[in-house]
Amino acid sequence: KKANLAFMLIADMKADGISPTVRHYNACLHCCKFKTAKIVLNDMLDESKKDIPKPDLISFNTVINAAAESGRKEDALSILRSISSRHGIKPDQFTYNSCISALSHGETAEAMALKKEMEENGIFPSIHT
């Protein structure tokens, strides 16, 4: 329900001649479950959709977190891998913590490898890592 309201707001803004920013889209992403968030992220990445802003790190982090909360660890890790390799955006502590959280149910070795990668990239673990 929250996601529907958020997208109605985006539609109303466009109807009123106001161009929604990435911050507006990030707020919408935050209201979505993973499946919908992934569709919106893909729309944001679509070069042919000129009226939709390009995603930033917060956009990616929000979708990664939605994947983690949905138990979709492979999706979370796939997005992590694409952030810098395809989109030129450096992951941050929240990015890694969300992915580690997705691995927290029995994937200890993989989570520890991700923590090590995090540290090698100059990102220090937090209390949430």
Side-chain angles (χ1 to χ4, degrees):
K1 238 178 186 209
K2 287 181 187 178
N4 289 338
L5 291 173
F7 289 113
M8 285 174 49
L9 176 61
I10 294 276
D12 287 348
M13 289 175 71
K14 288 180 178 182
D16 290 340
I18 301 168
S19 297
T21 66
V22 69
R23 294 178 90 181
H24 295 108
Y25 273 85
N26 288 345
C28 288
L29 286 170
H30 186 72
C31 297
C32 298
K33 294 188 184 294
F34 173 72
K35 185 177 177 182
T36 304
K38 180 69 171 150
I39 291 168
V40 173
L41 181 64
N42 285 337
D43 283 347
M44 293 174 79
L45 290 167
D46 187 339
E47 294 293 329
S48 70
K49 297 189 178 186
K50 303 293 183 198
D51 63 329
I52 299 177
K54 298 301 161 232
D56 61 9
L57 180 59
I58 294 169
S59 310
F60 286 106
N61 282 349
T62 304
V63 178
I64 288 171
N65 194 54
E69 288 177 352
S70 298
R72 301 182 64 123
K73 64 182 177 188
E74 295 303 325
D75 289 308
L77 293 172
S78 174
I79 296 167
L80 168 65
R81 298 295 174 228
S82 76
I83 288 176
S84 55
S85 67
R86 291 199 309 217
H87 306 294
I89 297 173
K90 184 180 176 187
D92 66 3
Q93 186 183 74
F94 187 87
T95 315
Y96 280 103
N97 285 347
S98 293
C99 288
I100 290 168
S101 174
L103 297 168
S104 66
H105 302 289
E107 306 289 337
T108 308
E110 199 171 356
M112 293 304 290
L114 205 53
K115 179 181 173 282
K116 182 179 179 189
E117 175 185 320
M118 176 182 181
E119 293 170 332
E120 289 170 352
N121 287 324
I123 302 167
F124 298 98
S126 70
I127 192 168
H128 302 288
T129 304

